[in-house]
Amino acid sequence: MWQSSPPGSIYDYIKVASFSIGADGLVDQWSLRAAELFGVSSDQVRGMDPVEAFIPAELRPRGHRKVAEILDGKEWTGLVPFRVPGERHARGLAEVYVMPSETEHGERGALCIAVDVRALRRIETDLASSQAIFGQSPFGFLLFGTDLTVQRANQRFATVFGGAAEDHRGRTVHDYLSRSEAERMTAALRRVLETGEPVTELEIVGSVPGAADRRHWSVNLYRVHSGGGRPIGIAGVGTDVTRRHNAAREAASARRNLALLNEATARIGTSLDLETTARELLDVAVPGFCDIASVDLYQGLLTGDEAPPGQADGRTAELRRVAFASAVSDAPLVTAAMPGAGCRETGPILVGAVHRYPFNSPCAKALRTGRPRLVPTDDGALVHSAIAVPMVAHDTVVGLVQFSRTKGSEPFGERDRALAVELAARAAVCIENARLYRREHQRALILQRSLLPPGDPEAAGLDIACRYLPGNAATEVGGDWFDVIELPGQRTALVVGDVMGRGLRAAVAMGELRTAVRTLAQLDLEPAEVLSHLDEIARGLGAPIGAQSSRAAHKPRGPELAEVYLATCVYAVYDAVTRRCTFANAGHPPPVLVEPGEEALLLDVPPGMPLGVGGEPFEEVEVELPEGALLALYTDGLVESRDHPLEEGLQAFRRALTAAGRPLEDVCDHVLNTLDTRHGQDDIALLMARIRGLPAEAVGDWRLPREPRSVGRARELARAQLTTWALEPLVDTVELLVSELVTNALRYGEGEIRLRLLRDRALVCEVWDAGLVQPRRRRARDTDEGGRGLQLVGLLSAGWGSRRTPRGKTVWFELPLPDGDGPAEPTVDQLLSMF
């Protein structure tokens, strides 16, 4: 079938030239291709002798012989050097095919076809190069036609996909790739064919025949053209980059894991709360490492046992689900058939639920062995890969974390397992630290609370209200304390102090100082003397240590200094009879007094140096407090913080006390609600007292001369006062005991004798004299005629004692009022046992 040859045929490459020679041996026809090849137009060459025109001079004799032979009817093919007319030397080499011919008149001629040998050599070289590149390339090489079918494949491609190279002719990419990948490849081929723009580094994923592993190829596509520029197909070069892809994925995974560990270091353990730490672990793991995760901690650890159960068996150890996180929208909020698979007997585990894992479940085995376990999953379930990792800190298992991946995510590998163990270990250390801190914190709190006054303390002539607020949950316990100590003679010691520093040591130091204050208060020392003794005790707490160990080791070594304890304290003694209060201060914020109808003011009490500094005496200030006044003692946590200076806090405190006329408990609440106490990092102690002095009719006070008849006079005065107070049931006992004390004052004391009766919550009787010798109770022998008076006082009274006064001493006893719950009357045997 005749048709026109399309552009790009072989003749476009070799450019065949033709011309004819007449019977006279001269050129009579000259083609356009000949003009292009030899550089001479037909007008110039027609009628010329071709040998003389194009053959170099040295070859012309041979050329004439060949032309003669041709005109005699002989064909000839050969290589002929040629030159351009006007040039002496040959320009090129032509392959000439000469065929004899005849004209219409029977004359001999010749038709010559000439091809430039350089074009032929170039074609040969191009073919050889193409064959070398296409056939010997180590990469898969495909040539696609314009219909996107394979026109040619090299041997490397055939080696990978099987068969001979010729077997792949006519196939499409759908014969090698999955549907989705084949569609991607087809779209790329069409785009290259239509636009001519190459596609580079197109990553295709598939598998080769007989292998199940996934391979990755990097494909480069470019359009192929004919000599005339017509697109004739697409060339594709494919390189197997599976190893490079795996290495890059491993590197990316390593970088991701390192970043995840860095994030875990920064985000896990920001709080000393166990549940918060568990949630922080899941915040890091989901979705950066897995899709679903949960944390179980031992129930004993959460309830504050001394030590976690460790590698307990999965049957008996109780755990609590403390955290759960999911990055999957349709994931259940409970872990029924996900992580914990193999544990279906437990059913759904809600956050906060206490549960046990079956003994043979992977979770229980992980807890027992301390090693991670892969958890089997069900076919078709949401979770397709899960791992149970025990949380191990210092060789102790504190809980279990479960990581799970859903469909579409890669299953856990060895590298993932190692990362899971590292994440769980970091969280476990933080949880263990939190547990230890909480244990020590609770111990310190127990110690601190045990050293504070229980309930609402009572005091003669005072209404008392107090508040103690610890610092926030992240803060250690402090050394704040307050105390209300009842003293003889309707007096009360009010104490507020603060040991500088935090933690258990500060709480212990506070306990020692508080105990010392109570002991010194019972000695009835003046407030300044109490603080002086406390200062020595505080300095003793920071005395050098280690001397004994140095002597024991027989090595001369300097003593190691213990922690130096400093404390502030204000000590006040209030007398309900006189309504006078004596203050002494050791570096503590000043007391605040609110008189009825007046603004709150800071009492001008010399601050003194903190306890433990030493070297400076303490001063006392005595203040008369009006009836109904409000006295407030407090620690610096109430009025000072990082953001609020002391002066600003004191002003705010004074303003908050403007409503001091309200009930005392309401005043305390108002102060704490008004001041910005929530910002504080320190404990807060607040002690408030409203002045309620004893009325004059509740006091009987007499002075007696130093003579024997004063004993009888004292009995008469006591009997009359008790009758006035309607306390007749106490008359006999009081007369007897007053006689004993006044007699002792006459016998062993000095100076004027003073008798005072006080009626408040109990009846108090005091006998004063100027002697300094304190009475001492002793057991009289059977032959002794005396020495039983104080025994009698101790047996018949609810309490008795003596104290120093500025001018001597006071001996006192106390009896409950008739409607009170006092001690039972002594039996006859008890009375006789004294004699």
Side-chain angles (χ1 to χ4, degrees):
M1 180 176 180
W2 295 90
Q3 64 179 12
S4 299
S5 177
S9 68
I10 188 64
Y11 300 106
D12 290 334
Y13 291 96
I14 61 176
K15 297 186 183 302
V16 178
S18 62
F19 60 93
S20 61
I21 302 174
D24 56 359
L26 302 178
V27 176
D28 58 2
Q29 292 184 4
W30 190 256
S31 68
L32 294 177
R33 287 286 179 89
E36 293 177 6
L37 176 61
F38 296 104
V40 181
S41 67
S42 59
D43 294 338
Q44 293 174 316
V45 76
R46 190 178 294 118
M48 292 181 63
D49 185 347
V51 175
E52 294 294 332
F54 299 104
I55 302 300
E58 64 273 14
L59 299 177
R60 287 173 186 168
R62 184 179 177 186
H64 285 299
R65 289 194 302 270
K66 290 295 183 183
V67 171
E69 293 176 357
I70 292 169
L71 293 176
D72 287 340
K74 185 178 180 181
E75 293 184 2
W76 179 80
T77 301
L79 297 177
V80 179
F82 67 90
R83 71 180 181 86
V84 175
E87 294 181 358
R88 295 182 57 187
H89 303 290
R91 171 177 288 189
L93 186 66
E95 183 173 341
V96 181
Y97 176 40
V98 183
M99 298 172 288
S101 63
E102 290 183 359
T103 66
E104 57 182 359
H105 303 293
E107 296 176 343
R108 296 287 183 99
L111 176 63
C112 300
I113 298 175
V115 179
D116 190 348
V117 173
R118 291 175 301 179
L120 294 176
R121 297 292 181 267
R122 191 162 52 247
I123 293 174
E124 290 176 354
T125 303
D126 290 346
L127 290 174
S129 300
S130 176
Q131 182 61 32
I133 294 174
F134 198 84
Q136 302 173 22
S137 172
F139 310 115
F141 214 124
L142 288 176
L143 181 62
F144 295 91
T146 55
D147 59 353
L148 305 186
T149 61
V150 176
Q151 300 298 314
R152 188 176 179 187
N154 70 344
Q155 187 56 43
R156 175 59 182 169
F157 183 86
T159 301
V160 174
F161 285 93
E166 290 297 325
D167 297 338
H168 296 276
R169 188 183 300 274
R171 294 183 180 180
T172 67
V173 292
H174 288 273
D175 296 317
Y176 307 104
L177 302 173
S178 65
R179 180 177 179 180
S180 59
E181 291 294 281
E183 289 176 352
R184 287 181 58 230
M185 184 73 172
T186 300
L189 289 171
R190 287 201 180 99
R191 187 166 62 252
V192 172
L193 186 62
E194 293 171 359
T195 65
E197 295 181 0
V199 171
T200 59
E201 301 292 335
L202 174 64
E203 186 168 320
I204 298 296
V205 180
S207 58
V208 298
D213 58 329
R214 292 161 64 89
R215 310 298 294 177
H216 294 260
W217 293 284
S218 176
V219 178
N220 297 304
L221 303 173
Y222 58 92
R223 193 168 67 182
V224 180
H225 303 84
S226 66
R230 179 179 63 86
I232 61 174
I234 305 116
V237 181
T239 306
D240 191 333
V241 294
T242 304
R243 185 174 300 176
R244 184 177 70 186
H245 175 82
N246 292 340
R249 186 177 62 179
E250 289 293 324
S253 177
R255 288 192 298 270
R256 182 202 66 185
N257 292 352
L258 182 59
L260 202 63
L261 289 177
N262 289 337
E263 184 183 5
T265 301
R267 296 181 59 183
I268 299 176
T270 60
S271 168
L272 288 173
D273 180 74
L274 282 76
E275 290 84 352
T276 301
T277 302
R279 289 192 294 270
E280 289 171 344
L281 168 61
L282 299 193
D283 290 341
V284 172
V286 179
F289 177 67
C290 63
D291 301 315
I292 304 173
S294 63
V295 176
D296 298 322
L297 296 180
Y298 278 116
Q299 176 69 358
L301 181 144
L302 293 168
T303 55
D305 288 351
E306 278 297 307
Q311 296 179 355
D313 60 33
R315 183 184 299 278
T316 59
E318 289 187 339
L319 298 105
R320 185 193 302 173
R321 177 65 47 85
V322 296
F324 174 82
S326 173
V328 183
S329 59
D330 56 348
L333 293 179
V334 295
T335 54
M338 56 140 301
C343 311
R344 297 178 193 161
E345 301 88 334
T346 61
I349 303 175
L350 294 168
V351 174
V354 178
H355 65 96
R356 293 184 177 91
Y357 286 116
F359 184 80
N360 292 322
S361 66
C363 298
K365 292 178 181 177
L367 289 169
R368 287 198 303 272
T369 61
R371 296 180 180 180
R373 293 274 180 161
L374 289 176
V375 179
T377 57
D378 294 335
D379 293 338
L382 175 66
V383 173
H384 79 103
S385 182
I387 183 173
V389 184
M391 305 177 73
V392 183
H394 311 301
D395 297 328
T396 301
V397 177
V398 299
L400 183 77
V401 57
Q402 298 178 65
F403 302 107
S404 301
R405 289 180 178 174
T406 57
K407 292 181 178 179
S409 300
E410 293 186 3
F412 290 111
E414 286 301 320
R415 186 186 296 273
D416 294 323
R417 180 180 296 196
L419 178 60
V421 171
E422 182 64 24
L423 288 174
R426 295 195 180 198
V429 170
C430 295
I431 287 175
E432 177 67 3
N433 290 341
R435 184 190 71 84
L436 294 175
Y437 167 79
R438 186 169 67 176
R439 184 187 66 182
E440 296 302 319
H441 189 254
Q442 289 175 344
R443 289 178 177 178
L445 285 176
I446 292 172
L447 173 63
Q448 190 176 40
R449 301 299 188 272
S450 67
L451 296 175
L452 296 176
D456 296 327
E458 296 182 352
L462 293 174
D463 292 337
I464 301 292
C466 53
R467 294 290 186 275
Y468 183 87
L469 299 179
N472 58 43
T475 320
E476 295 182 81
V477 294
D480 293 16
W481 90 92
F482 68 91
D483 209 346
V484 178
I485 307 170
E486 291 192 78
L487 302 177
Q490 301 301 93
R491 294 174 307 133
T492 304
L494 304 175
V495 190
V496 172
D498 183 3
V499 176
M500 299 181 186
R502 310 204 60 77
L504 189 59
R505 287 180 175 272
V508 171
M510 177 268 283
E512 295 189 23
L513 291 178
R514 178 180 179 273
T515 302
V517 169
R518 295 191 70 88
T519 302
L520 294 171
Q522 295 302 326
L523 296 177
D524 225 338
L525 301 178
E526 296 298 323
E529 291 183 82
V530 172
L531 294 186
S532 296
H533 287 295
L534 285 179
D535 179 62
E536 295 180 5
I537 294 173
R539 280 183 287 160
L541 295 177
I545 61 173
Q548 291 182 343
S549 60
S550 298
R551 290 193 297 269
H554 304 289
K555 293 181 181 179
R557 187 181 69 175
E560 299 177 3
L561 289 180
E563 183 178 353
V564 176
Y565 290 96
L566 298 178
T568 63
C569 179
V570 62
Y571 183 87
V573 176
Y574 169 71
D575 190 334
V577 178
T578 63
R579 293 201 315 275
R580 302 188 67 84
C581 190
T582 304
F583 297 91
N585 192 354
H588 203 79
V592 176
L593 178 65
V594 186
E595 297 186 8
E598 302 291 337
E599 294 184 355
L601 57 90
L602 301 177
L603 291 180
D604 187 14
V605 179
M609 299 298 292
L611 303 176
V613 175
E616 293 293 333
F618 298 98
E619 300 183 42
E620 293 181 357
V621 172
E622 188 176 64
V623 179
E624 183 173 352
L625 306 178
E627 182 75 13
L630 180 66
L631 178 65
L633 306 179
Y634 52 94
T635 56
D636 58 358
L638 181 68
V639 295
E640 185 178 24
S641 72
R642 298 173 185 173
D643 303 324
H644 296 72
L646 178 60
E647 290 300 326
E648 181 181 330
L650 288 174
Q651 292 296 329
F653 183 34
R654 292 172 58 190
R655 289 193 298 269
L657 289 174
T658 55
R662 295 190 294 180
L664 206 54
E665 294 292 336
D666 294 344
V667 175
C668 287
D669 294 336
H670 176 71
V671 168
L672 296 180
N673 293 332
T674 302
L675 298 183
D676 185 14
T677 56
R678 295 187 180 276
H679 69 269
Q681 299 295 314
D682 197 3
D683 294 350
I684 294 174
L686 175 62
L687 177 61
M688 287 190 176
R690 177 164 283 131
I691 305 304
R692 303 293 186 197
L694 283 181
E697 59 271 16
V699 180
D701 196 350
W702 307 275
R703 297 184 182 274
L704 302 172
R706 189 172 185 79
E707 54 188 30
R709 63 179 183 176
S710 293
V711 177
R713 178 61 179 164
R715 288 197 299 267
E716 294 174 1
L717 293 172
R719 183 187 309 110
Q721 186 64 63
L722 292 178
T723 302
T724 303
W725 288 340
L727 297 178
E728 289 83 356
L730 300 180
V731 169
D732 294 339
T733 304
V734 171
E735 283 187 339
L736 176 60
L737 298 185
V738 165
S739 297
E740 289 293 334
L741 295 187
V742 174
T743 301
N744 285 343
L746 289 172
R747 181 176 300 174
Y748 305 109
E750 300 177 5
E752 187 180 36
I753 299 173
R754 180 182 177 188
L755 172 65
R756 188 168 73 170
L757 295 179
L758 307 175
R759 182 183 186 278
D760 190 24
R761 292 172 299 164
L763 177 69
V764 178
C765 177
E766 299 176 332
V767 176
W768 306 46
D769 69 76
L772 298 178
V773 178
Q774 297 291 323
R776 182 173 61 87
R777 182 178 177 179
R778 64 184 180 87
R779 188 171 188 83
R781 295 188 296 270
D782 295 340
T783 58
D784 292 342
E785 296 182 0
R788 298 178 178 84
L790 292 181
Q791 283 184 273
L792 186 65
V793 173
L795 182 63
L796 297 180
S797 66
W800 77 278
S802 67
R803 69 176 187 273
R804 294 191 306 166
T805 63
R807 297 176 182 175
K809 68 175 181 296
T810 299
V811 183
W812 58 272
F813 67 84
E814 180 179 305
L815 292 174
L817 299 181
D819 56 348
D821 296 329
E825 290 291 331
T827 63
V828 175
D829 292 338
Q830 289 175 323
L831 293 174
L832 292 177
S833 66
M834 296 185 295
F835 299 92

